[in-house]
Amino acid sequence: MQTGLQSRKADCPLCGTALQRDEDSIRDLWNCHSCGLSIEVAQQRDPLPELAPARSGPLCDDEPDEDQLDRWLAGKPIERKAAPISLRLSRWAQENWGAVTCFLIALLGVSAIAAHSMQSSVVAQRQLADERVAHQTTQKLAQERDEELRLLVDSAQIKSRALGKQLDQARLDARRDLSLRLADEATRLEQAAPQRSLMLAAESVQIARDSRHFPAAGAVQVLFDQLQDQSLIRPTGHSDAIRSIAFSNDGTLWASGGDDNRAILHSLDGRRISIPLEAHWSRVSQVKFSPNSRQLATASFDASICLWDVSSSEVAQSPVVLSGHDERVLSIDFSADSRWLLSGAQAAPGSPSEILLWDLQAKGQPQVVQTLGQHFGRVHAAQLSPDGRWAFTSSADGFVQLWRLNPKSGDRMTVAMRAQHGLTDRVVFSADSSQLVTVSESGRGGECVVRRWELGEMIRPDTIATFKIMPLAADVDFAKGNVAIGGERGDLKVINWNLGTTTPVFGHEQPIQLIRFLPDGALASVDEHGLVRRTILGGEDEVALGVKLPQVAGHIEAAAISADGQWVAVTNDKREVMIRQLDPLILTGVAFDRLQSVIGGVEVIAAQPSEDLR
């Protein structure tokens, strides 16, 4: 049956696909195979108007919003709409089912491969994490084993070093015992076999020095006794008691002064004969070399001071006489640059003591640039600081004075401090002139007071120690903070102001004549019976060498030690002087040389000293 739709260009109002008539239906039914729309035509209608082309824009505002099918049935123009994507895909899939099937199969394959790859990656990551954990565990165990091995190695090294030290100490102790046995044998054979005794004593000293022990006193005593001809012992040329003795700083000269109104200049190396220096008409109270070793100053009871040019070949013919005192000159002291000289004289009855400061480099003649008075009593100490900017004076009146050189008023000194500190005999300045140590008697039953002064704008004397001792000699080691004091009964004490300790040094029984700290740190001391001790202070352990000078008999009048600490000189009441080396190593070298010259060779038990140590 033919209908009016056959003559139309009928399209689906929904998707725009051409409608197809259902021939099998008894009704006039038209179907759209794209969207599945069915349209039944029940009656003949007027010819439908031509369908307007689909508009791309929106419907007019005056047209009602109605269903597209109603619009088509009513003969109104409709919009062409594209079929839904799902329907087009479905139709494309029906038309291309083979390609879709291949695509799906390929997609499934890719998905399977991706899933397998992902699974493999997860497994690999788990294995890598397990391997990292295993590696960290292994590394930790290795570190622990390395630490255990290091501790074992360190422990073994410590034990090895301890055993090495014990072995070295055992060797040193064995060599020390050998040194002591050799010293005992040398002492035993000193009278019966002098040469054998000398050789054993030299070997004992050398072994002790090699094993870092101090030589036995017996061996050094044998060296002193057997090497008498190596000493410079002879009459000094004085006809009366010797009151003072001094070494030059360069170690070539020494001088002595006595009650015979003379000073005598001697040579240590024997190149010059002794030269008498005669310019005083009263006893010589003190002799002192200038720090540059060019001049010798002699103080006398005739109230004068003489300066001798020891570098001149006519030293005895050219004294420079300093006349400025009215009473006996008791002490003289040079500044470190040899320009200034401080002299102290005995006070006249009812008058202040005379302390004069001399400028030795003044034009024409040395001149007095300052008179330091205000002391009533004998001057016991008058000393200049090394830089010449301070002077310390002490008198029997019990007062001490510290003077400051004032550059603004020329070369004049002003009193920086005056205080009553008792009788002060011992005064020592530090090398940089920043400190001062004094040893005083308080007058209360022989009590000794040691003070340390800080020199600056503010002067602060601090008390280091106070104890019962009558001080006769003293010296200071500013580098180590030690003060050594010797008393009238052989007492010898070392006070350390840094540690606050007092260490007694035993060995002397007679009054101490001289104390000196040597450049190597040892302490040299001489008593009035000629016992010389060279003590090394090492905390609680003390190693000391004490020897009696057999050539010196009688009471010791004066003693001195050279600046390098190698020579000691003592004089007695018989007007004799003895000069001897202090270092046992030098004595050992002299002993070996003498044995070789006497017997042509030495039976060596240990190594002989090298040339640079002799």
Side-chain angles (χ1 to χ4, degrees), residues 525-537:
S525 55
V526 183
D527 63 23
E528 289 187 355
H529 281 193
L531 177 63
V532 180
R533 288 180 62 87
R534 190 174 187 271
T535 305
I536 295 180
L537 302 174

Side-chain angles (χ1 to χ4, degrees), residues 107-136:
L107 182 61
L108 290 175
V110 172
S111 300
I113 294 173
H116 180 72
S117 299
M118 185 176 296
Q119 184 178 4
S120 300
S121 175
V122 171
V123 172
Q125 290 179 355
R126 289 180 179 176
Q127 292 178 352
L128 181 60
D130 295 340
E131 290 178 357
R132 288 179 178 174
V133 172
H135 176 70
Q136 292 177 355

Side-chain angles (χ1 to χ4, degrees), residues 248 250 252-255 263-266 272-273 275-280 288-290 292-298 305-322 334 338 360 366:
S248 64
D250 58 7
T252 60
L253 301 172
W254 63 279
I264 301 180
L265 183 65
H266 311 268
R272 299 169 60 176
I273 61 175
I275 302 175
L277 306 177
E278 300 177 348
H280 297 287
K288 180 168 287 190
F289 285 92
S290 62
N292 59 13
S293 301
R294 296 178 181 177
Q295 291 180 308
L296 173 68
T298 58
I305 303 170
C306 287
L307 295 177
W308 309 84
D309 185 4
V310 297
S311 61
S312 173
S313 59
E314 300 179 355
V315 56
Q317 308 300 325
S318 57
V320 178
V321 181
L322 308 182
F334 284 94
S338 303
L360 304 182

Side-chain angles (χ1 to χ4, degrees), residues 163-355:
L163 291 176
K165 290 181 179 179
Q166 292 178 1
L167 180 60
D168 293 341
Q169 186 63 37
R171 291 174 179 173
L172 293 177
D173 292 342
R175 294 184 65 84
R176 182 182 182 182
D177 293 340
L178 176 60
S179 174
L180 294 176
R181 291 198 300 270
L182 291 176
D184 293 341
E185 187 68 12
T187 303
R188 188 180 67 84
L189 297 176
E190 185 175 5
Q191 300 298 328
Q195 292 184 357
R196 179 70 177 177
S197 174
L198 181 61
M199 182 188 68
L200 295 176
E203 289 288 352
S204 174
V205 172
Q206 183 63 31
I207 292 174
R209 297 297 294 263
D210 291 342
S211 58
R212 298 192 295 274
H213 290 291
F214 209 75
V220 180
Q221 186 68 60
V222 170
L223 294 180
F224 269 70
D225 296 341
Q226 295 296 331
L227 299 177
Q228 293 184 16
D229 57 343
Q230 299 294 326
S231 305
L232 302 177
I233 178 170
R234 57 176 177 266
T236 59
H238 289 281
S239 59
D240 208 335
I242 301 173
R243 299 299 179 182
S244 178
I245 189 170
F247 287 96
S248 64
N249 283 348
D250 58 7
T252 60
L253 301 172
W254 63 279
S256 57
D259 290 350
D260 57 356
N261 307 338
R262 294 195 305 170
I264 301 180
L265 183 65
H266 311 268
S267 174
L268 272 176
D269 54 13
R271 298 178 182 178
R272 299 169 60 176
I273 61 175
S274 299
I275 302 175
L277 306 177
E278 300 177 348
H280 297 287
W281 54 265
S282 185
R283 67 175 56 178
V284 176
S285 58
Q286 189 177 10
V287 295
K288 180 168 287 190
F289 285 92
S290 62
N292 59 13
S293 301
R294 296 178 181 177
Q295 291 180 308
L296 173 68
T298 58
S300 174
F301 278 18
D302 62 4
S304 68
I305 303 170
C306 287
L307 295 177
W308 309 84
D309 185 4
V310 297
S311 61
S312 173
S313 59
E314 300 179 355
V315 56
Q317 308 300 325
S318 57
V320 178
V321 181
L322 308 182
S323 300
H325 290 284
D326 296 329
E327 294 293 334
R328 301 172 177 177
V329 181
L330 302 178
S331 63
I332 50 178
D333 189 37
F334 284 94
S335 61
D337 58 0
S338 303
R339 176 182 177 180
W340 306 97
L341 178 69
L342 189 68
S343 59
Q346 183 176 352
S351 301
S353 59
E354 297 176 342
I355 303 173

